[in-house]
C-alpha cells in the first residue's frame, strides 16, 4: 500500500476536482451522487490506511482494532486486500485507530531493545562453584561481577 499511497491520493484529488467542475445540473443525478460518495469515502479513508500500513503494526494491534471497531478483519490472510479494509468503513473509528497505531509505534523501539537484550543474554554461560558439600550453587565471583555490570547496562 505505502508505495502507491501518493498515487492513490493524487487520483482521488483529481477525481474530486473533476466532479466539482461538472455542471450543477449533473450534481442531482444518482450516478453523480454515488461517484461523489465513493470518492469522498476513499479520500477520507486513505490517511487511516496509510497509518494502518505502518510496519510496527503487529497481530496484537490488529486484534485491538477488531475489538474497537467490531469489524472482522482477517489481515493475516494472503487474500486480504485494500478493498476489504475500505469496505469496513473505518473512518468512524479514526480516533481509536489513531490510538492503536500510536501505541504500536511507541512499542516498536521497546520490542527492539527487548530483542537485543534477549539475543545477548541467550548466549551467556553461567559458571558455578561448589559451596561446601552442597555442590555447584554459587556463581563464580569474577563471572558474577561481569554479569552484574552487564545487567545494569542492559536495564530497560
Amino acid at each position: 500500500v505505502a508505495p502507491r499511497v501518493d498515487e492513490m491520493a493524487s487520483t482521488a484529488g483529481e477525481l474530486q476536482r473533476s466532479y466539482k467542475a461538472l455542471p450543477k445540473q449533473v450534481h442531482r443525478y444518482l450516478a453523480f451522487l454515488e461517484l461523489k460518495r465513493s470518492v469522498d469515502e476513499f479520500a477520507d479513508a486513505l490517511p487511516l490506511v496509510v497509518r494502518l500500513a505502518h510496519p510496527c503494526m503487529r497481530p496484537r494491534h490488529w486484534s485491538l482494532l477488531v475489538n474497537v471497531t467490531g469489524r472482522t478483519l482477517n489481515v493475516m490472510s494472503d487474500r486480504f486486500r485494500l478493498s476489504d479494509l475500505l469496505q469496513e468503513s473505518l473512518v468512524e473509528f479514526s480516533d481509536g485507530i489513531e490510538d492503536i497505531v500510536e501505541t504500536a509505534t511507541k512499542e516498536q523501539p521497546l520490542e527492539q531493545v527487548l530483542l537485543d537484550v534477549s539475543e545477548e543474554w541467550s548466549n551467556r554461560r553461567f559458571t558455578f562453584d561448589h559451596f561446601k558439600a552442597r555442590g555447584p550453587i554459587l556463581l563464580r565471583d569474577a563471572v558474577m561481577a561481569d554479569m552484574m555490570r552487564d545487567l545494569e547496562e542492559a536495564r530497560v
Side-chain angles (χ1 to χ4, degrees):
V1 173
R4 301 204 47 209
V5 168
D6 291 338
E7 181 184 338
M8 289 187 277
S10 175
T11 302
E14 288 173 24
L15 285 170
Q16 286 175 321
R17 284 187 293 282
S18 294
Y19 69 65
K20 288 178 183 175
L22 291 172
K24 295 291 181 198
Q25 307 88 291
V26 175
H27 290 220
R28 65 176 184 248
Y29 292 127
L30 188 58
F32 171 83
L33 295 172
E34 184 61 29
L35 173 67
K36 180 182 183 312
R37 185 192 60 74
S38 295
V39 171
D40 289 347
E41 283 178 4
F42 179 76
D44 290 345
L46 200 54
L48 284 178
V49 170
V50 170
R51 298 284 287 152
L52 290 171
H54 197 284
C56 66
M57 290 291 287
R58 303 283 186 260
R60 68 179 177 273
H61 302 118
W62 288 102
S63 294
L64 284 172
L65 185 72
V66 167
N67 290 340
V68 166
T69 63
R71 305 292 204 281
T72 302
L73 302 168
N74 194 9
V75 295
M76 298 306 149
S77 167
D78 291 340
R79 300 167 61 105
F80 189 78
R81 301 286 178 258
L82 174 61
S83 59
D84 299 329
L85 193 61
L86 294 173
Q87 286 176 351
E88 296 300 332
S89 303
L90 298 177
V91 173
E92 64 186 278
F93 305 103
S94 60
D95 290 341
I97 292 171
E98 286 294 328
D99 290 344
I100 291 168
V101 174
E102 184 178 332
T103 298
T105 305
K106 289 178 180 178
E107 287 174 353
Q108 189 176 23
L110 293 175
E111 285 179 4
Q112 186 58 50
V113 168
L114 287 172
L115 183 64
D116 293 345
V117 168
S118 177
E119 192 174 295
E120 175 166 339
W121 283 91
S122 66
N123 296 323
R124 289 289 178 123
R125 297 190 68 103
F126 292 86
T127 310
F128 294 91
D129 278 336
H130 288 274
F131 179 73
K132 299 184 182 180
R134 296 184 193 166
I137 60 171
L138 284 177
L139 285 171
R140 290 205 174 124
D141 288 338
V143 174
M144 186 67 161
D146 289 342
M147 284 191 187
M148 290 302 290
R149 184 192 70 244
D150 292 345
L151 275 171
E152 285 296 320
E153 289 175 6
R155 271 195 346 191
V156 178

